[in-house]
Amino acid sequence: MGKIKVKGTMQRVAMFDENRVIGHVEHYSVVKGDELVSYAAKSAHIPESALIACTIAIREAISFFVLNGHHVDLGKFGIFGIRSKQKAATDAEEVDVSLVKHLTVGYKPSTEIKKGIAGIHIEVVV
């Protein structure tokens, strides 16, 4: 089970036109790719060099497929894919590239990740 810390900070809330205490998740350090590979290699009892090669290949494959319009299902982790925002047209003949306002990479967590999030222990830090 996971554990996160939440800390309250005073900030201006325009909707209420007053200051309120808002809870924010305390962010820990960013786990770098090499740290992740080292941890996974030890867990799987395989050489780091083999896992590094696999990791690079998987990253390239995910980038290739996502950037070519596919959704990539990473099983227990979730799904990555391109999301877009576009303007509406009044009829099909008006649809063109200029209607696309924004592209981004979207992530949809798996059911397992969602259940894991629901089970996270939240500790309030004062």
Side-chain angles (χ1 to χ4, degrees):
M1 176 163 76
K3 179 180 173 182
I4 61 170
K5 294 179 181 179
V6 174
K7 184 175 184 176
T9 54
M10 185 69 73
Q11 71 183 57
R12 182 90 180 136
V13 179
M15 187 170 110
F16 299 111
D17 193 27
E18 58 186 42
N19 290 335
R20 298 256 176 118
V21 176
I22 306 294
H24 296 280
V25 173
E26 283 193 348
H27 294 279
Y28 305 109
S29 64
V30 174
V31 178
K32 306 267 187 203
D34 57 343
E35 294 172 289
L36 186 64
V37 167
S38 179
Y39 180 91
K42 287 176 187 167
S43 294
H45 305 290
I46 60 174
E48 277 190 45
S49 59
L51 193 55
I52 289 169
C54 292
T55 302
I56 291 169
I58 290 169
R59 287 178 187 164
E60 288 176 4
I62 291 170
S63 293
F64 174 82
F65 286 114
V66 168
L67 294 176
N68 282 285
H70 299 274
H71 282 78
V72 177
D73 187 343
L74 298 174
K76 292 180 181 180
F77 187 67
I79 299 172
F80 284 95
I82 294 288
R83 290 187 181 166
S84 65
K85 288 193 175 201
Q86 53 274 335
K87 297 177 185 174
T90 54
D91 62 50
E93 290 150 9
E94 294 179 6
V95 175
D96 65 16
V97 175
S98 68
L99 295 177
V100 178
K101 295 174 15 182
H102 181 73
L103 293 175
T104 187
V105 176
Y107 166 68
K108 181 180 178 188
S110 68
T111 303
E112 187 172 327
I113 292 286
K114 288 179 185 177
K115 286 179 183 176
I117 290 169
I120 288 176
H121 173 74
I122 301 172
E123 179 183 322
V124 177
V125 179
V126 182

